[in-house]
Amino acid sequence: MKFIEFDKSLCDNCFKCLRACPTKAISFNKEERKIMDHLCIKCGRCLAKCPQDALKIKNPIEQIKSDLSNGVSYAVSLAPSFIGAFQLTSPGQMVAGLKKLGFSLIEETAVGAEIVSMNYERLIGEKAGQQMVTSCCPSANYMIEYLYPELIPSILPVVSPMIAHGLYIKQRHESIKVLFIGPCLAKMAEAEEITGAIDAVITFDELSRWFVEEEIMLEGLANEKFDLTGSRRGRGFPLGTEFINEQDKTPSKQHFKQISGMHQCRSLCEELIQNPIEGYVFELNICEGSCNNGPDFPKNAHQRYHREKLMEAYRLDFDTDYGPSIRLDGSEVKVKRIFSHRKDMREMPNHSEIKEILRQMGKYTKHDELNCGACGYVDCHEKAQAVFYGYSDVHECLAYLRGKAENMHSVLIDNSPNAVCTIDKKLTIIEINPTFDAIFNETSVKTIGLPIETFIEEKLFAEALNNRTSVKGKRIYVPSVQRHFITNIIYHEGDDVLLCFFTDITPIEAKKKALEQVKKETLLKTQEVIDKQMRVAQEIASLLGETTAETKMSLNSLKNLVLRDQGGLLDDIEE
């Protein structure tokens, strides 16, 4: 089942999504960028971290709008954590807002949570003294199926409150579609996988944007009642289920432990595999702070601990009539669920294969393994394993690319035929290449640390620093080495230094000077010929009575042709 779409055209390879992904379910190699569904636990962390919106989940709102406009009836299963997601003065304003969008039936998902709780009570009583794990968080379930299938027997085989509620709504209302609204992205995948209960899922953030589009201001609406409200225990699920009934009686005196956050959940699973803890029921929630701190709350939602305060107050508030409630016994719908072994069982790379991949990444010793995490993986060995499976590429390693770039930079500068130096803001040389030393340092003194004026007049460099600007193609002559250079000065603002390149054009200037001398001598000879011809022409003309104008014009044309690019030389000659 494809859950998240990856738009490669928007991806800028920042790897923020991969760093956030707890199961490293994102493939970055030369051929593709994609989510690997067999590793994805649908937690939505990658979407929350992507700054380019390259990751997207299909939004069903347009289809829902179309259905509503065509007379399709929709019921809403609303997660109790809505109370901290929106700016409300009363819970009834949310009901009114949903009715304005066109929904005909609004119930709390806490109804389904109570059904689940009662089935948990029965199972915990039957399995008293055993190690148990709850099944409400779909991401936690996927994590166990994909990574820790050894713990599947410990999972209580019950559907989530969302599924239980959807089934219960459809049992009571024929020909109705059910929309779940909550803060969880994983519910979208769960609703597609467990069919027949939920027809669509949207998040609180998507609902918030829908309200804005329809210009619905919840705070200004009058209160309306839920069509069915849940129990106090059911409303408490977003805070972390305790499985304690309203009379504070616990079945079989089982111990309960609520675990939230990916790191804590994975640590617990690894511990339970190695050393089972009998007599405990563990409530696992992938989101830190449970569902009340899910991944897709609106941007203007209350902050986390304020949400908890509002949620706790709402859970305990049964004096206010928010709508009818009914007593449930847990047998209203079939809630049994089967969990599957989905772990990737491909052969692990051996030590030699990992070592070879590390070598290709330029990591020959433990010292070379920076384990910086920039590539998105926890350490270099995890990165090498991803390369082995084809999920990543050896070249997508920051340290490798930086080392390669630095080596190329060093080779390029050190072997450049141009003299190169770096000058700090005090006009002191801080770095040179061998060519600079060979040209300017005839006395073989230590060049680094000397003022640039030791070798070259500092005026040009001082102006570049003062003006914070670069200089390109400036011709200079350095008397100390009797050489001509084309100088390029690059000002680096971040470090306030100058990177200077000197291209030696002395041979070119010498050839140019020699050519100019040849041209000058040619012009002198031409002028002598012109003068001589003029004298001869005048003598002939005096004898023949012809004008000299035509001859003079032809000879001057010859002269100008030679002088085409040497106007200055003509002036010298004529003087």
Side-chain angles (χ1 to χ4, degrees):
M1 175 188 58
K2 198 160 188 176
F3 176 60
I4 301 174
E5 295 289 345
F6 202 137
D7 189 338
K8 293 181 286 187
S9 65
L10 296 177
C11 177
D12 64 359
N13 292 348
C14 67
F15 302 120
K16 287 184 178 178
C17 60
L18 188 58
R19 283 195 290 276
C21 179
T23 57
K24 307 306 174 190
I26 308 172
S27 174
F28 281 91
N29 60 35
K30 291 181 179 179
E31 286 74 31
E32 60 186 355
R33 302 281 189 274
K34 70 175 185 179
I35 305 297
M36 297 177 290
D37 198 62
H38 68 287
L39 292 176
C40 177
I41 65 170
K42 288 77 177 174
C43 64
R45 288 185 170 197
C46 56
L47 283 87
K49 291 294 183 181
C50 179
Q52 304 298 331
D53 290 329
L55 300 169
K56 299 184 185 299
I57 294 178
K58 183 179 178 181
N59 188 325
I61 287 180
E62 291 306 316
Q63 181 61 50
I64 295 169
K65 288 180 180 179
S66 176
D67 286 347
L68 291 172
S69 65
N70 290 321
V72 177
S73 295
Y74 264 90
V76 170
S77 174
L78 183 64
S81 48
F82 80 89
I83 197 68
F86 297 86
Q87 305 297 325
L88 303 167
T89 57
S90 172
Q93 292 174 322
M94 174 56 75
V95 179
L98 292 170
K99 290 286 179 73
K100 288 182 79 65
L101 289 177
F103 298 107
S104 55
L105 185 75
I106 318 295
E107 295 186 2
E108 285 188 296
T109 315
V111 174
E114 181 61 20
I115 294 173
V116 168
S117 292
M118 299 191 78
N119 280 275
Y120 277 167
E121 285 185 359
R122 177 180 57 80
L123 288 169
I124 292 169
E126 293 173 0
K127 296 173 176 283
Q130 297 181 29
Q131 170 182 285
M132 288 172 259
V133 177
T134 65
S135 58
C136 293
C137 175
S139 287
N141 296 335
Y142 287 128
M143 179 190 70
I144 292 175
E145 289 180 313
Y146 292 152
L147 302 179
Y148 309 107
E150 301 93 330
L151 293 178
I152 288 176
S154 295
I155 304 178
L156 295 171
V158 177
V159 298
S160 71
M162 175 189 77
I163 298 298
H165 190 210
L167 292 171
Y168 189 44
I169 291 174
K170 293 201 170 192
Q171 179 182 289
R172 292 176 288 124
H173 302 275
E174 294 183 2
S175 303
I176 197 169
K177 287 189 174 183
V178 181
L179 168 68
F180 173 79
I181 305 175
C184 180
L185 293 166
K187 293 293 186 184
M188 298 179 183
E190 183 186 29
E192 284 193 27
E193 190 167 320
I194 303 176
T195 59
I198 301 295
D199 298 283
V201 174
I202 65 174
T203 65
F204 287 149
D205 186 51
E206 290 169 335
L207 177 62
S208 176
R209 285 186 268 122
W210 191 359
F211 281 142
V212 171
E213 289 174 11
E214 299 295 333
E215 298 182 349
I216 295 174
M217 303 293 291
L218 295 177
E219 290 180 277
L221 299 179
N223 290 325
E224 293 194 39
K225 293 183 179 181
F226 284 96
D227 293 283
L228 189 62
T229 62
S231 65
R232 178 179 287 115
R233 177 167 58 176
R235 284 183 184 174
F237 265 55
L239 295 171
T241 307
E242 296 286 345
F243 308 114
I244 300 174
N245 65 23
E246 295 187 13
Q247 285 74 42
D248 293 329
K249 294 178 181 178
T250 59
S252 305
K253 295 182 179 180
Q254 196 83 5
H255 297 285
F256 299 91
K257 188 72 175 176
Q258 199 269 338
I259 309 294
S260 70
M262 174 56 69
H263 177 71
Q264 289 81 359
C265 288
R266 291 195 65 169
S267 295
L268 174 67
C269 288
E270 290 165 7
E271 181 178 345
L272 295 182
I273 289 173
Q274 295 174 5
N275 186 19
I277 304 177
E278 296 179 347
Y280 270 79
V281 178
F282 294 98
E283 162 75 1
L284 269 61
N285 285 282
I286 293 299
C287 293
E288 184 76 41
S290 192
C291 303
N292 199 50
N293 195 38
D296 215 37
F297 276 85
K299 301 299 182 291
N300 64 340
H302 296 286
Q303 293 181 333
R304 173 182 169 181
Y305 294 106
H306 192 58
R307 290 201 298 268
E308 288 189 7
K309 177 184 176 183
L310 291 170
M311 186 72 255
E312 181 63 20
Y314 182 56
R315 184 180 79 87
L316 298 174
D317 183 14
F318 269 82
D319 294 331
T320 307
D321 184 11
Y322 293 124
S325 62
I326 56 176
R327 183 173 293 277
L328 302 166
D329 62 16
S331 64
E332 289 74 16
V333 292
K334 294 181 180 180
V335 296
K336 185 175 181 178
R337 179 179 177 183
I338 297 174
F339 294 95
S340 304
H341 186 303
R342 308 191 198 193
K343 189 173 183 177
D344 188 351
M345 299 304 292
R346 285 186 298 179
E347 185 178 353
M348 294 282 288
N350 59 41
H351 176 74
S352 297
E353 289 167 328
I354 290 291
K355 188 175 180 180
E356 173 58 22
I357 294 172
L358 289 171
R359 187 194 64 77
Q360 293 174 24
M361 294 164 57
K363 304 181 187 305
Y364 299 93
T365 66
K366 281 289 182 182
H367 180 73
D368 297 326
E369 297 174 24
L370 300 182
N371 301 322
C372 63
C375 62
Y377 293 95
V378 174
D379 55 36
C380 296
H381 277 257
E382 187 178 65
K383 162 76 173 180
Q385 185 173 317
V387 172
F388 177 83
Y389 288 133
Y391 302 155
S392 188
D393 191 272
V394 291
H395 303 301
E396 290 176 342
C397 168
L398 181 62
Y400 171 84
L401 293 173
R402 185 181 64 190
K404 187 174 181 180
E406 288 175 350
N407 288 337
M408 290 179 66
H409 169 269
S410 178
V411 170
L412 180 63
I413 296 297
D414 287 350
N415 291 279
S416 173
N418 299 320
V420 182
C421 74
T422 306
I423 304 169
D424 65 16
K425 59 185 177 181
K426 295 181 180 179
L427 299 178
T428 299
I429 298 172
I430 58 176
E431 191 175 7
I432 62 168
N433 75 336
T435 307
F436 184 95
D437 210 37
I439 292 175
F440 292 102
N441 190 13
E442 294 180 349
T443 58
S444 299
V445 297
K446 183 180 178 181
T447 308
I448 295 176
L450 293 176
I452 187 61
E453 195 169 30
T454 306
F455 307 101
I456 307 169
E457 186 180 353
E458 70 174 28
K459 181 180 178 182
L460 184 62
F461 309 101
E463 289 177 353
L465 276 172
N466 292 335
N467 297 328
R468 297 177 179 271
T469 186
S470 298
V471 176
K472 296 183 180 180
K474 182 71 173 179
R475 290 173 179 261
I476 65 170
Y477 176 71
V478 181
S480 62
V481 294
Q482 298 181 344
R483 296 191 187 217
H484 295 269
F485 299 94
I486 290 179
T487 304
N488 290 287
I489 302 173
I490 301 172
Y491 174 70
H492 190 277
E493 185 175 359
D495 297 318
D496 201 20
V497 298
L498 299 177
L499 182 59
C500 310
F501 297 84
F502 304 92
T503 303
D504 189 355
I505 59 170
T506 303
I508 297 173
E509 289 293 321
K511 288 181 180 180
K512 181 178 177 182
K513 188 174 182 180
L515 181 60
E516 289 175 351
Q517 183 62 32
V518 170
K519 288 183 177 181
K520 186 174 183 179
E521 292 174 358
T522 302
L523 289 170
L524 289 171
K525 291 292 184 181
T526 302
Q527 189 63 47
E528 289 178 8
V529 172
I530 291 173
D531 293 342
K532 189 172 183 180
Q533 287 294 92
M534 288 301 297
R535 287 195 299 272
V536 173
Q538 286 175 354
E539 290 175 2
I540 295 173
S542 64
L543 295 173
L544 300 179
E546 295 179 356
T547 179
T548 64
E550 185 176 346
T551 302
K552 183 177 181 179
M553 184 180 299
S554 297
L555 290 171
N556 277 325
S557 294
L558 173 62
K559 174 183 173 183
N560 289 335
L561 180 62
V562 176
L563 292 173
R564 184 164 49 193
D565 296 318
Q566 301 293 327
L569 293 174
L570 177 60
D571 294 337
D572 294 339
I573 292 168
E574 289 182 343
E575 288 177 1

